[in-house]
Coordinates of all heavy atoms in Angstrom, one line a residue:
V1 N 44.6 -53.8 151.3 CA 45.6 -53.6 150.2 C 45.2 -52.5 149.3 O 46.1 -51.7 148.9 CB 45.7 -54.9 149.4 CG1 46.7 -54.7 148.2 CG2 46.3 -56.0 150.3
R2 N 43.9 -52.3 149.0 CA 43.5 -51.4 147.9 C 42.9 -50.1 148.5 O 42.8 -49.1 147.8 CB 42.5 -52.0 147.0 CG 43.1 -53.3 146.3 CD 42.0 -53.9 145.4 NE 42.5 -55.1 144.7 CZ 41.8 -55.8 143.8 NH1 40.6 -55.4 143.6 NH2 42.4 -56.8 143.2
S3 N 42.5 -50.1 149.7 CA 41.8 -48.9 150.3 C 42.8 -47.9 150.8 O 43.6 -48.2 151.8 CB 40.8 -49.3 151.4 OG 40.4 -48.2 152.1
R4 N 42.9 -46.7 150.2 CA 43.8 -45.7 150.7 C 43.4 -45.3 152.2 O 44.3 -45.1 153.0 CB 43.7 -44.4 149.9 CG 44.2 -44.6 148.5 CD 44.1 -43.3 147.7 NE 42.8 -42.7 147.8 CZ 42.5 -41.5 147.4 NH1 43.4 -40.7 146.8 NH2 41.2 -41.0 147.4
E5 N 42.1 -45.3 152.4 CA 41.7 -44.9 153.8 C 42.2 -45.9 154.8 O 42.6 -45.5 155.9 CB 40.1 -44.8 153.8 CG 39.5 -43.7 153.0 CD 39.3 -44.1 151.5 OE1 39.7 -45.3 151.2 OE2 38.8 -43.3 150.7
T6 N 42.1 -47.2 154.5 CA 42.5 -48.2 155.4 C 44.0 -48.1 155.7 O 44.4 -48.2 156.8 CB 42.2 -49.6 154.9 OG1 40.7 -49.7 154.7 CG2 42.6 -50.7 155.8
I7 N 44.8 -48.0 154.6 CA 46.2 -47.9 154.7 C 46.7 -46.7 155.6 O 47.5 -46.9 156.5 CB 46.9 -47.9 153.3 CG1 46.6 -49.3 152.6 CG2 48.4 -47.7 153.5 CD1 47.0 -49.3 151.2
L8 N 46.1 -45.6 155.3 CA 46.5 -44.4 156.0 C 46.1 -44.4 157.5 O 47.0 -44.2 158.3 CB 45.9 -43.1 155.3 CG 46.2 -41.8 156.0 CD1 47.7 -41.5 156.0 CD2 45.5 -40.6 155.4
L9 N 44.9 -44.8 157.7 CA 44.4 -44.8 159.1 C 45.2 -45.9 159.9 O 45.6 -45.7 161.1 CB 42.9 -45.1 159.2 CG 42.0 -44.0 158.7 CD1 40.6 -44.3 159.0 CD2 42.3 -42.6 159.3
S10 N 45.5 -47.0 159.3 CA 46.3 -48.0 160.0 C 47.7 -47.6 160.3 O 48.2 -47.8 161.4 CB 46.3 -49.3 159.1 OG 45.1 -49.8 158.8
L11 N 48.3 -46.9 159.4 CA 49.6 -46.3 159.7 C 49.6 -45.3 160.8 O 50.4 -45.4 161.7 CB 50.2 -45.6 158.4 CG 50.7 -46.5 157.3 CD1 51.0 -45.6 156.1 CD2 51.9 -47.3 157.7
L12 N 48.6 -44.5 160.9 CA 48.5 -43.5 161.9 C 48.2 -44.1 163.3 O 48.8 -43.7 164.3 CB 47.4 -42.4 161.6 CG 47.6 -41.6 160.3 CD1 46.4 -40.7 160.0 CD2 48.9 -40.8 160.4
V13 N 47.2 -45.0 163.3 CA 46.9 -45.6 164.6 C 48.0 -46.5 165.1 O 48.4 -46.4 166.3 CB 45.6 -46.5 164.4 CG1 45.3 -47.3 165.7 CG2 44.4 -45.6 164.1
E14 N 48.7 -47.3 164.2 CA 49.7 -48.1 164.7 C 50.9 -47.3 165.2 O 51.5 -47.7 166.2 CB 50.2 -49.1 163.6 CG 51.3 -50.1 164.0 CD 51.6 -51.1 162.9 OE1 50.8 -51.3 162.0 OE2 52.6 -51.8 163.1
A15 N 51.3 -46.2 164.5 CA 52.4 -45.4 164.9 C 52.1 -44.8 166.3 O 53.0 -44.8 167.2 CB 52.6 -44.3 163.9
A16 N 50.9 -44.3 166.5 CA 50.6 -43.8 167.9 C 50.6 -44.8 168.9 O 51.2 -44.6 170.0 CB 49.2 -43.1 167.8
W17 N 50.1 -46.0 168.7 CA 50.0 -47.0 169.7 C 51.4 -47.6 170.0 O 51.7 -47.9 171.1 CB 49.1 -48.1 169.2 CG 47.6 -47.8 169.4 CD1 47.1 -46.6 169.9 CD2 46.5 -48.6 169.0 NE1 45.7 -46.6 169.9 CE2 45.3 -47.8 169.3 CE3 46.3 -49.8 168.4 CZ2 44.0 -48.3 169.1 CZ3 45.1 -50.3 168.2 CH2 43.9 -49.5 168.5
R18 N 52.3 -47.7 169.0 CA 53.6 -48.2 169.2 C 54.3 -47.3 170.2 O 55.2 -47.7 171.0 CB 54.4 -48.3 167.9 CG 54.0 -49.5 167.1 CD 55.0 -49.8 166.0 NE 54.5 -50.9 165.2 CZ 54.8 -52.2 165.5 NH1 55.4 -52.5 166.6 NH2 54.4 -53.2 164.7
E19 N 54.0 -46.0 170.2 CA 54.6 -45.0 171.1 C 53.9 -45.0 172.4 O 54.3 -44.2 173.3 CB 54.6 -43.6 170.4 CG 55.5 -43.6 169.2 CD 55.4 -42.2 168.5 OE1 54.6 -41.3 169.0 OE2 56.0 -42.0 167.4
G20 N 52.8 -45.7 172.6 CA 52.0 -45.7 173.8 C 51.1 -44.6 173.9 O 50.6 -44.3 175.0
R21 N 50.8 -43.9 172.8 CA 49.9 -42.7 172.9 C 48.5 -43.1 172.6 O 48.2 -43.9 171.6 CB 50.3 -41.7 171.8 CG 51.6 -41.0 172.1 CD 51.9 -39.8 171.2 NE 52.2 -40.3 169.8 CZ 51.4 -40.1 168.8 NH1 50.3 -39.5 168.9 NH2 51.8 -40.5 167.6
D22 N 47.5 -42.6 173.4 CA 46.1 -42.8 173.2 C 45.7 -42.0 172.0 O 46.3 -40.9 171.7 CB 45.3 -42.4 174.4 CG 45.6 -43.3 175.6 OD1 46.2 -44.4 175.4 OD2 45.3 -42.9 176.8
L23 N 44.6 -42.5 171.3 CA 44.2 -41.8 170.1 C 42.7 -41.8 170.0 O 42.1 -42.9 169.7 CB 44.9 -42.4 168.9 CG 44.7 -41.7 167.5 CD1 45.5 -40.4 167.6 CD2 45.3 -42.6 166.4
G24 N 42.1 -40.7 170.3 CA 40.6 -40.5 170.1 C 40.3 -40.1 168.7 O 41.2 -39.9 167.8
L25 N 39.0 -40.1 168.4 CA 38.6 -39.7 167.0 C 39.1 -38.3 166.7 O 39.5 -38.0 165.5 CB 37.1 -39.8 166.9 CG 36.5 -41.1 166.4 CD1 35.0 -41.0 166.3 CD2 37.1 -41.6 165.1

């Protein structure tokens, strides 16, 4: 809820995975 890093990374990872795209570091 409070961590900007958590919220941003979660948005990015979830968006990629919903599209079926692999995502490395």
Side-chain angles (χ1 to χ4, degrees):
V1 176
R2 300 181 181 180
S3 166
R4 295 182 306 173
E5 293 86 356
T6 301
I7 294 170
L8 178 61
L9 293 185
S10 297
L11 286 172
L12 297 176
V13 172
E14 183 173 345
W17 284 357
R18 285 192 181 279
E19 296 174 2
R21 290 188 290 112
D22 296 342
L23 190 63
L25 273 181

